[in-house]
Amino acid sequence: KAGVTQTPRYLIKTRGQQVTLSCSPISGHRSVSWYQQTPGQGLQFLFEYFSETQRNKGNFPGRFSGRQFSNSRSEMNVSTLELGDSALYLCASSSGHDYGYTFGSGTRLTVV
Amino acid sequence: QKEVEQDPGPLSVPEGAIVSLNCTYSNSAFQYFMWYRQYSRKGPELLMYTYSSGNKEDGRFTAQVDKSSKYISLFIRDSQPSDSATYLCATWADFAGNMLTFGGGTRLMVKP
């Protein structure tokens, strides 16, 4: 059974640019959640999508957005990048009805 | 104050030692309590979960929840160098939306 796939694994962007990260969930999983992990703040919830609808959103500015496609694949976009956006961005998939999450290996974003 | 607090460590122990990792949480309505293990450059992987209070054992790992004191523990017996990783406690409740609330993580190093 394939796991959660995140692409790309590493990204370097310049301040002010925008970036799009991709996540392919486990087959059959309809929920995709995104988390930001930094040394100072740990893992923080960004948002969750279920059947193409955003069900829950964390406390992040509007520069962070996402979407989910009909095949459950999800993308996350960050516009007008800031140095503080440098982090590991993790995607997790689940059935959407319980606590059973499987995480991908993440995308390491560095903003310079 | 964060909803889930965890000592960041690092915690360094000799091989074969018993390791105790702990978290406290603030919201008494949390229902599920999880422990994730995260190796360097990888996403978190679910180690164990516990529903409500009590103990759960899986091989060398024991998870313990005391809801009266809002305390979560993970014990590792006969620790191995391969256990060296960051351990994250997390909580989940359906009232909070389909999201995990994480502690900051404890870095564990098991020395041969």
Side-chain angles (χ1 to χ4, degrees), chain A residues 84-106:
Chain A
D85 297 333
S86 295
L88 179 67
Y89 289 88
L90 291 158
C91 162
S93 80
S94 76
S95 67
H97 304 294
D98 60 26
Y99 52 84
Y101 292 82
T102 302
F103 282 83
S105 293

Side-chain angles (χ1 to χ4, degrees), chain B residues 22-59:
Chain B
N22 306 292
C23 291
T24 57
Y25 63 95
S26 57
N27 192 331
S28 58
F30 282 128
Q31 300 160 309
Y32 288 87
F33 305 91
M34 280 74 79
W35 283 96
Y36 283 82
R37 178 175 62 195
Q38 185 176 22
Y39 290 114
S40 181
R41 297 191 180 89
K42 294 286 188 182
E45 57 173 328
L46 180 65
L47 262 181
M48 300 183 70
Y49 76 91
T50 311
Y51 175 72
S52 193
S53 282
N55 291 2
K56 189 169 185 177
E57 191 173 318
D58 184 2

Side-chain angles (χ1 to χ4, degrees), chain A residues 9-10 31 33 35 37 40-43 45 48 55-56 88 90 94 96-101 103-106, chain B residues 2 32 34 36 38 41-46 49 51 56 86 88 92 94 96-105:
Chain A
R9 289 296 309 276
Y10 301 94
S31 168
S33 302
Y35 290 80
Q37 187 174 30
Q41 298 298 318
L43 270 149
F45 174 76
E48 186 232 359
R55 276 203 307 197
N56 200 1
L88 179 67
L90 291 158
S94 76
H97 304 294
D98 60 26
Y99 52 84
Y101 292 82
F103 282 83
S105 293
Chain B
K2 290 190 173 183
Y32 288 87
M34 280 74 79
Y36 283 82
Q38 185 176 22
R41 297 191 180 89
K42 294 286 188 182
E45 57 173 328
L46 180 65
Y49 76 91
Y51 175 72
K56 189 169 185 177
T86 296
L88 300 143
W92 185 89
D94 53 15
N98 194 33
M99 59 176 276
L100 292 166
T101 302
F102 283 92

